[in-house]
Amino acid sequence: MKKYLVILGIIMLLLSGCTAKNNYKALEEELKEKATKYYQDYIEGKVLGFDEHRVSLEALEKAEVDISNFKKKYCDKSSYASIKLKYDDNNEPTGEFEVENHLTCGEYTTKKK
């Protein structure tokens, strides 16, 4: 009987670990979406001459964007998404950009690529 309880406990730990990773994956995607919208609403076309903009959880909160999911996971408000612009041959922004997250929540940190 004890053997089955131990096996059941190990299975539950493994499943909860997988669920935790999925929760952070959802937070990573949420940060990307919210930072993109913030960039498009407040920065794009208004702040020129930079090839990278950082949108932090603190900036999102000040703009009255709901960051409650990040607070529930004890994310550091200095966590940010980096918006990296792309330029054409004439050094003009193409309108395309990449979003790179730098999220820190408790012991979780965005994995480096």
Side-chain angles (χ1 to χ4, degrees):
M1 179 73 172
K2 287 183 181 180
K3 183 178 182 180
Y4 293 114
L5 288 174
V6 170
I7 292 171
L8 181 62
I10 291 172
I11 291 171
M12 289 177 64
L13 282 173
L14 290 173
L15 290 175
S16 67
C18 293
T19 303
K21 286 183 183 179
N22 288 338
N23 287 342
Y24 290 113
K25 185 176 181 180
L27 279 180
E28 293 278 356
E29 189 59 35
E30 184 178 350
L31 178 58
K32 182 178 179 177
E33 290 171 10
K34 290 184 181 213
T36 297
K37 178 151 179 32
Y38 180 93
Y39 169 75
Q40 291 170 332
D41 291 348
Y42 297 103
I43 300 173
E44 188 173 36
K46 298 172 182 112
V47 179
L48 305 173
F50 294 94
D51 60 356
E52 181 179 353
H53 299 278
R54 291 184 178 183
V55 179
S56 67
L57 289 177
E58 185 176 20
L60 291 172
E61 185 177 50
K62 285 180 181 178
E64 299 181 357
V65 174
D66 178 21
I67 63 166
S68 59
N69 289 337
F70 299 96
K71 288 180 179 180
K72 289 177 192 173
K73 293 292 184 180
Y74 305 103
C75 296
D76 188 326
K77 286 187 183 177
S78 66
S79 296
Y80 64 94
S82 179
I83 311 287
K84 296 182 177 187
L85 306 178
K86 295 183 180 182
Y87 289 87
D88 63 16
D89 294 337
N90 296 324
N91 236 6
E92 297 291 326
T94 63
E96 296 178 34
F97 54 86
E98 292 179 21
V99 181
E100 182 181 283
N101 287 340
H102 299 270
L103 191 59
T104 302
C105 305
E107 293 189 18
Y108 173 82
T109 303
T110 302
K111 303 284 185 259
K112 303 276 188 210
K113 291 182 181 181

